[in-house]
Amino acid sequence: MPSVKKLLVPLALLAGGIGVGGGAAYATTILLGPPPAAGAAGHEDAEPTTFVDVDNVLAPLVLPDGERLAGYVSFQLALEVPADRADDISARLPLLRHEINMRTYRQPMASGPDGTLPTLEVFRNVVRQAADAAFGKGAVSAIAIAQATPA
């Protein structure tokens, strides 16, 4: 029966090691407390934000050659801004529209076989640059493109 003994000793050592390791982990948790959540501290200090809707932003779709116009597209946006600046930013939306118009004709964003599909990432970058110019750097923390329809 030496083979059964050789098999039972490692299994007994494994079970004992699991028991001792689990007990040590439990005791450490009881003495030191649970670990802090990964992002809990950062979200408590963040200021509240809100979304400001921007309807019917009309933008030209310039083909990738940068010379021809494929058409126009109407976007519906939502800008995430600090809650205390929402009224100020809502009042300055015409300035944002102007800044978008001054940038979109220089950024070719038409895609697809006939050039009628907008490249949303290019438009999002245009809106980010326009928002920084219209409201100040960092005033808009996120840009959500809710709808894009050909005009």
Side-chain angles (χ1 to χ4, degrees), residues 62-103:
V62 178
L63 290 170
D65 63 8
E67 297 178 4
R68 294 180 294 149
L69 181 66
Y72 289 89
V73 65
S74 175
F75 290 98
Q76 182 178 358
L77 306 171
L79 307 174
E80 185 178 12
V81 299
D84 58 343
R85 291 199 58 197
D87 292 335
D88 177 45
I89 288 175
S90 294
R92 298 182 71 183
L93 286 180
L95 183 57
L96 175 70
R97 290 177 193 274
H98 171 72
E99 292 292 335
I100 290 172
N101 284 337
M102 297 308 292
R103 286 171 172 75

Side-chain angles (χ1 to χ4, degrees), residues 3-80:
S3 63
V4 173
K5 194 175 203 181
K6 285 184 181 179
L7 183 65
L8 289 179
V9 170
L11 288 176
L13 288 174
L14 180 65
I18 290 173
V20 169
Y26 179 73
T28 302
T29 304
I30 295 297
L31 291 175
L32 300 177
H43 291 294
E44 291 174 3
D45 297 336
E47 61 184 67
T49 60
T50 188
F51 284 95
V52 174
D53 292 328
V54 185
D55 292 330
N56 299 327
V57 176
L58 193 63
L61 282 175
V62 178
L63 290 170
D65 63 8
E67 297 178 4
R68 294 180 294 149
L69 181 66
Y72 289 89
V73 65
S74 175
F75 290 98
Q76 182 178 358
L77 306 171
L79 307 174
E80 185 178 12

